[in-house]
Amino acid sequence: MYPSAFDYSAPETLDEALASLGELGDEGRVLAGGQSLIPMMKLRLAAPGHLVDINGVSELSYIREQNGHLAVGALARHADLAASDLVSSSNHTMASAAPWISDPLVRNRGTLCGSVAHCDPEGDWNSVMLAVGASVVARSASGERTIPIADFVVDFFTNSLEPGEMVTEVRVPAYAGPAGGAYLKLERKIGDYATVGVATHLVLDAAGNVAEAGLGLTAVHGHNLKVTEAEDMMAGQAPGSELFAEAAEIAARACDPDSNVRGPAGYKRAVVAEYTRRGFAQALAQARGEG
């Protein structure tokens, strides 16, 4: 199937791109990697009137540390994140997830910011971002705002961007103490959407107790799900198998998976529970310097 007709522009600066989006309003869509947008256009699930191709805006192609967080620009590719020594040393959950993103073709073109903006409940990155407490930088011709990821992810394929805004950066807070994390993903074959994905994040305080816990779930709810009840329950507690088992029970209750060709709902809940236990165990080993 072919997409419906659209206009196309390729600005070379961010200001030019934002000006175009401001003029276009709801008719404008940003094209970065295109790994989600183009297939949706071909299936007529999306029909933007104008594509604003930002691949010429080289200032958005970065992964760097700044002001106490890891900053990922809108043109940083999945493959860049998977190969980045900075990512591997800064955030275990992100480093764990990056090689699991789709397949090599998608990783070489797709972007983290684009995936975050897409809000596909079967996409991996938003679960990771929910677990690690990331923020999204949205810019328009009139200004900039920073949106906590929990407020940015609204619903099924729905984010909180306003017309004329685009995601220019994702910010991940630096660890405030000994920390670790993991992304565990069950898929039928390499490159498939997740049957279940679980992102875990753990920071310890000076006494070795849980200072911060993060838990995000993929493909088991109408949107990527942050399991706040489990995170709050773990805060201040001594980490270990009993605590992780309690978090796993909460996660299994919180999710709402469908029964489909990837498996029955009960099976997916069981995987959520097991991956939650395993993920936090890996995170704790990393935080203690054991893995």
Side-chain angles (χ1 to χ4, degrees):
M1 201 167 183
Y2 293 101
S4 57
F6 59 90
D7 293 323
Y8 171 88
S9 59
E12 295 183 355
T13 70
L14 180 56
D15 287 343
E16 291 175 2
L18 296 176
S20 293
L21 291 171
E23 294 171 0
L24 294 165
D26 288 333
E27 285 297 302
R29 290 290 295 272
V30 173
L31 175 66
Q35 300 304 298
S36 299
L37 178 59
I38 298 302
M40 291 185 71
M41 290 174 63
K42 290 175 71 175
L43 292 170
R44 301 292 179 101
L45 297 174
H50 193 117
L51 291 187
V52 179
D53 185 344
I54 64 169
N55 281 280
V57 186
S58 58
E59 64 193 275
L60 295 176
S61 183
Y62 60 83
I63 303 169
R64 63 194 180 208
E65 289 180 318
Q66 61 183 44
N67 302 322
H69 58 257
L70 178 67
V72 180
L75 286 180
R77 314 291 174 178
H78 305 307
D80 297 332
L81 292 156
S84 171
D85 291 336
L86 181 56
V87 170
S88 63
S89 64
S90 298
N91 193 281
H92 295 288
T93 314
M94 289 181 67
S96 176
W100 283 100
I101 305 302
S102 192
D103 55 42
L105 291 175
V106 171
R107 287 197 294 273
N108 284 335
R109 291 300 304 163
T111 64
L112 181 145
C113 289
S115 180
V116 166
H118 190 49
C119 285
D120 184 345
E122 295 186 332
D124 304 296
W125 277 126
N126 272 347
S127 296
V128 174
M129 296 300 114
L130 288 165
V132 302
S135 296
V136 175
V137 178
R139 287 189 62 178
S140 68
S142 60
E144 175 182 299
R145 62 190 179 119
T146 303
I147 310 166
I149 188 67
D151 295 330
F152 183 81
V153 178
V154 175
D155 207 341
F156 182 75
F157 289 102
T158 306
N159 62 43
S160 61
L161 289 176
E162 299 291 341
E165 283 187 321
M166 64 173 281
V167 176
T168 57
E169 183 177 283
V170 168
R171 295 175 179 172
V172 178
Y175 288 145
Y183 186 68
L184 302 180
K185 179 178 179 179
L186 177 66
E187 57 186 1
R188 295 180 300 176
K189 62 180 181 178
I190 294 174
D192 191 16
Y193 285 106
T195 298
V196 173
V198 176
T200 52
H201 165 74
L202 195 66
V203 180
L204 304 182
D205 61 21
N209 293 324
V210 177
E212 183 181 315
L215 181 59
L217 308 181
T218 305
V220 290
H221 196 75
H223 53 78
N224 299 83
L225 182 64
K226 182 175 177 67
V227 191
T228 307
E229 182 183 351
E231 296 172 345
D232 293 345
M233 178 276 298
M234 294 175 69
Q237 302 298 312
S241 57
E242 292 185 6
L243 184 68
F244 301 157
E246 186 175 351
E249 291 179 6
I250 294 171
R253 292 197 304 268
C255 67
D256 185 26
D258 292 327
S259 293
N260 53 29
V261 295
R262 292 187 172 91
Y267 167 69
K268 294 177 184 179
R269 288 184 188 274
V271 174
V272 165
E274 180 60 26
Y275 277 9
T276 299
R277 286 191 291 267
R278 291 187 195 180
F280 278 123
Q282 290 183 28
L284 179 60
Q286 291 166 341
R288 289 176 171 173
E290 299 169 354

